[in-house]
Amino acid sequence: MKLLVAVKRVIDYNVKARVKPDGSGVDLANVKMAMNPFDEIAVEEAIRLKEKGTATEIVAVSIGPAQASETIRTALAMGADRGILIKHEGTVEPLAVAKLLKAVVEAEKPGLVILGKQAIDDDSNQTGQMLAALLGWPQGTFASKLAIEGEQALVTREVDGGLQTVKLKMPAIVTTDLRLNEPRYASLPNIMKAKKKPIDEKSPADFGVDVSPRLKVVKTSEPAGRKGGVKVASVDELLDKLRNEAGVL
């Protein structure tokens, strides 16, 4: 079975994002970039399935500028077999990403597509669901456990009430949550081997997909600083402040 894993290049999660002075967006100049953490989990899960003998090939796909090839190389160093880079400068919205991934899926014909549940830059949490809708495939979102049994996938999902297990008939879409696994670090030999693994470069035009933005960013601003807390002498005083000052009761 072939696995398709989508990976995105985002600001490293250890870096504090800075808003541009004109409020038009986030400043990416001279900022450390890395693979989206949820996508790292997706790559790790794909590698584990291959190590179990469930999968035979892992294809990593990324959509973005030329530098996104570095993100694919990271996936290749972890254990993916080859990559596909769909080059595009600028923002690609979730629906456009889903359409591009649909075209890649139709060309590659994987048995399972694994994505991070969301990217830490826009937090949209939409691409996996949109891709499943476009393909008409079953989907298991927010996966904290994944097991393959023959032609079916058992996905344990994290929901508000606890855990829910769904059985999907493959091919299917799975989006990963934090507790699914702990991604490995790429070893130096594997990093060197990754340099020789193939990355096929495409463009949105090759798939006939229009990636023009449908949304307009009106303003980007940093969140307001948190105010200092206040100590209260009694429960009655706390209730009074919640009721009369905060207005939450």
Side-chain angles (χ1 to χ4, degrees), residues 170-202:
M170 296 193 294
I173 309 293
V174 173
T175 70
T176 61
D177 212 334
L178 285 173
R179 280 156 289 281
L180 180 59
N181 60 52
E182 183 71 28
R184 69 192 66 190
Y185 289 101
S187 64
L188 182 57
N190 286 341
I191 292 174
M192 300 306 293
K193 291 177 183 178
K195 295 180 179 180
K196 299 181 179 179
K197 293 182 179 180
I199 297 180
D200 189 15
E201 292 191 0
K202 299 285 188 180

Side-chain angles (χ1 to χ4, degrees), residues 10-20 25-33 120-121 221-226:
V10 300
I11 295 178
D12 188 282
Y13 71 92
N14 290 308
V15 176
K16 184 181 185 301
R18 301 189 307 270
V19 175
K20 293 180 180 179
V26 176
D27 187 2
L28 300 180
N30 301 316
V31 175
K32 182 183 178 183
M33 307 293 283
I120 62 171
D121 53 0
S221 60
E222 294 189 12
R226 295 184 63 179

Side-chain angles (χ1 to χ4, degrees), residues 8 63-64 88-102 115 119 121-128 130-131 134 204 209-218:
K8 185 178 183 181
I63 302 163
H88 179 74
E89 298 290 339
T91 303
V92 184
E93 294 173 357
L95 180 58
V97 173
K99 289 180 177 179
L100 289 169
L101 291 178
K102 175 178 180 287
L115 312 88
D121 53 0
D122 56 19
D123 275 333
S124 293
N125 181 23
Q126 296 174 342
T127 302
M130 288 178 171
L131 177 59
L134 291 172
V209 176
D210 179 14
V211 295
S212 301
R214 301 186 178 207
L215 305 175
K216 180 180 179 181
V217 177
V218 178

Side-chain angles (χ1 to χ4, degrees), residues 21 51 66 79 105 112 137 143 165 173 178 191:
E51 290 173 342
V105 167
L112 187 67
W137 285 11
T165 301
I173 309 293
L178 285 173
I191 292 174

